Amino acid sequence: MKNTTIIQPTVLGFVGSPRSGGNTHILVDEILRGAKEAGAAVQKFDLTRLKIAPCDACDTCRRTGNCLYEDDFPPLYEQMKTSDVWVFGTPIYWSGPSAQFKAFVDRWYAPEEELKVMPDKHIILALPLGDEGGEQAQITVDMMTVGLEWINKTINDVVVAPGMEARGDIQQHTDILEHAYQTGQRAVLR
């Protein structure tokens, strides 16, 4: 009898919302719940609770191979390398991502070349916003699309949750929560 090893997929959720327990956290939690129930190991990172300095374009990383800042980004990046699915959640503020989320993405500058040759990842964006129509989310989708293309990655799914102004508004939108759950499931069962 052959010995077969089943490899459990790993799904990482990165939340860039300073509103703990808010719509972004709930939306990402639902995606992760779907992934977990499909058999994945999941882990969520609250970027607003971590110390991630913004890139200051000093190019120390290009000269030495290491970022000038010794903060929480390098351990996150190590986990990103070995994971299968990345879930990026940010509220939309003034048509763009939160400052905390943008600082996290800007730090991809240091490992840019390594990111380019890293195996494909299934990438999901989770974007709640106050705008009723949801059009303001497109700017962040475009930003992430272009940035990810630069490192040879592609967004696979986008979950937009318009009209989410107050903390927890998303709890009243079971259709969006179900879509998020199913998105997490599909990412693992693909």
Side-chain angles (χ1 to χ4, degrees):
M1 182 178 226
K2 254 187 175 178
N3 193 5
T4 34
T5 304
I6 298 173
I7 299 173
Q8 184 180 33
T10 304
V11 179
L12 303 180
F14 301 92
V15 180
S17 174
R19 187 183 278 177
S20 184
N23 297 311
T24 308
H25 281 273
I26 295 166
L27 192 58
V28 170
D29 285 345
E30 200 59 19
I31 293 168
L32 295 178
R33 185 174 75 85
K36 184 175 184 175
E37 290 184 11
V42 302
Q43 190 168 3
K44 182 172 108 175
F45 300 96
D46 184 343
L47 299 174
T48 66
R49 304 286 180 255
L50 299 173
K51 182 181 173 196
I52 300 177
C55 177
D56 66 5
C58 67
D59 277 339
T60 298
C61 60
R62 300 292 165 104
R63 289 189 307 275
T64 68
N66 294 305
C67 182
L68 173 70
Y69 297 112
E70 294 179 13
D71 59 12
D72 293 326
F73 180 77
L76 286 182
Y77 177 66
E78 288 303 312
Q79 291 194 46
M80 289 175 72
K81 290 194 299 191
T82 60
S83 64
D84 303 292
V85 180
W86 295 340
V87 180
F88 298 127
T90 181
I92 303 300
Y93 293 160
W94 291 92
S95 302
S98 69
Q100 295 86 347
F101 183 79
K102 187 65 167 74
F104 167 67
V105 172
D106 285 350
R107 288 290 294 280
W108 297 358
Y109 178 72
E112 171 190 338
E113 294 306 316
E114 189 175 33
L115 282 163
K116 286 181 179 180
V117 297
M118 188 181 293
D120 281 341
K121 309 294 180 182
H122 191 96
I123 299 172
I124 302 168
L125 299 183
L127 308 172
L129 64 157
D131 174 43
E132 288 294 330
E135 294 85 9
Q136 295 300 314
Q138 191 59 48
I139 295 168
T140 298
V141 172
D142 292 344
M143 179 200 87
M144 291 300 294
T145 298
V146 170
L148 288 163
E149 285 175 354
W150 182 257
I151 59 169
N152 302 320
K153 306 290 176 277
T154 304
I155 297 169
N156 299 94
D157 294 291
V158 179
V159 180
V160 176
M164 303 299 136
E165 192 67 38
R167 181 188 314 241
D169 276 353
I170 200 163
Q171 301 277 18
Q172 307 306 315
H173 297 271
T174 55
D175 56 331
I176 296 172
L177 293 174
E178 178 63 22
H179 175 58
Y181 174 84
Q182 293 295 329
T183 299
Q185 290 234 307
R186 280 192 312 275
V188 174
L189 299 175
R190 59 187 157 93

